[in-house]
Structure formats: C-alpha cells, structure tokens
Amino acid sequence: MNRARLLLLLDVIVVAALAVTALAQVWQAPEDNWEGGRAVHSVLVAAFTLPLLVRRRSTAIVFVTVATAAFVQFELGGELGQPFFAVVIALYSVGAHVGAPQTFLGPAAIALHVAVVDVQRLRDGDPVDEVVPAWFILLAIWGFGRWMRHRT
C-alpha cells in the first residue's frame, strides 16, 4: 500500500471514530440536552468531521469549516469532546500543509477565540489555570505542524 492510500485510510479511521462517537452521544442523550435538536447537532457533527477527509487538499477551507462548526456546536450547548479533537487536527493541518499567508489562519483563529470566548470566561471567574494553558497548547500544535512542514 502506498503512502497516500495509507494516509487516506488513517484519515478515514480517525474521522469515522470522531463522527460515530459524537453521533452516539447526540442520539443517546435526552432530546432536551440539545438546543436546536438532535438533527441540528448531527449536521454539525458532519460539518466538523467529514471535511477532515480532504484536509491536505483544501486545508484553509477545512480549518474554517471545522472551527466554525465546532464553535456553533459549543454555543448551542453541545458538550462533546470530539469538536476539540477535530479542531486540533485541522489546526495541525494548517501548520503542516499550507504556506504563508494562509497558514496564519491558525494563530489568528486562536487569537479570535481568546478575544471572543476566553476573555469572557476569565471575567466570569473561570480559573486562569483552566483557560490560559489551552492557548499555548493550541499554538504548539500549529507550531508543530509548521515544524513538520519545514523539517529536512
């Protein structure tokens, strides 16, 4: 099996695992747990997982789609962990598979998240040690992708 097929197989396995576990959570929880209903959250699961299958070809579009779907799912009260992992994969891909200026979508999205979500969380009294470390972890993921792209 050549490298491209192996990578595609790995992508399919990861995407399937994320999608199946997220859909299982959506459909097994009571209906009133999901603002907008199960169908809306099922569509959001598809939106933050399926684009990962083409993350090497349309990296920037995939990142924006995955991040947006994950954010909307979170804002609708979704407490799934899978969107975070989908964003991590997409963020790594932005670092690893595209050049400047598109690669800077990663740090820009992190800065936007900090400004829109995390600053409010800190104002609401969330502990600093639960909010701030994620910034560095996400930047490190993007940085690792950049390093993988430029290593010799």
Side-chain angles (χ1 to χ4, degrees):
M1 182 178 285
N2 67 17
R3 179 171 159 57
R5 285 185 183 231
L6 186 60
L7 290 174
L8 179 61
L9 177 62
L10 182 61
D11 282 350
V12 168
I13 291 169
V14 169
V15 167
L18 287 173
V20 167
T21 57
L23 287 171
Q25 285 180 272
V26 167
W27 287 94
Q28 288 180 351
E31 176 74 28
D32 59 345
N33 283 11
W34 307 103
E35 186 176 334
R38 290 180 177 143
V40 169
H41 285 272
S42 296
V43 169
L44 290 170
V45 166
F48 69 71
T49 56
L50 295 179
L52 293 174
L53 292 172
V54 294
R55 67 187 177 89
R56 290 180 181 87
R57 289 187 300 262
S58 302
T59 308
I61 294 168
V62 167
F63 177 72
V64 170
T65 303
V66 168
T68 302
F71 179 75
V72 170
Q73 199 271 337
F74 176 76
E75 286 297 308
L76 289 177
E79 305 243 345
L80 300 175
Q82 293 87 345
F84 174 77
F85 292 106
V87 169
V88 163
I89 293 167
L91 183 61
Y92 166 82
S93 298
V94 166
H97 301 296
V98 295
Q102 288 181 328
T103 190
F104 296 108
L105 279 171
I110 295 167
L112 181 64
H113 177 80
V114 167
V116 172
V117 177
D118 288 345
V119 167
Q120 187 61 46
R121 286 180 59 200
L122 291 170
R123 285 185 183 161
D124 290 343
D126 282 10
V128 172
D129 63 338
E130 290 181 12
V131 177
V132 175
W135 306 344
F136 298 102
I137 292 167
L138 292 172
L139 283 172
I141 290 165
W142 175 80
F144 180 69
R146 294 303 298 160
W147 177 77
M148 290 296 288
R149 177 179 175 87
H150 295 292
R151 67 187 170 101
T152 55

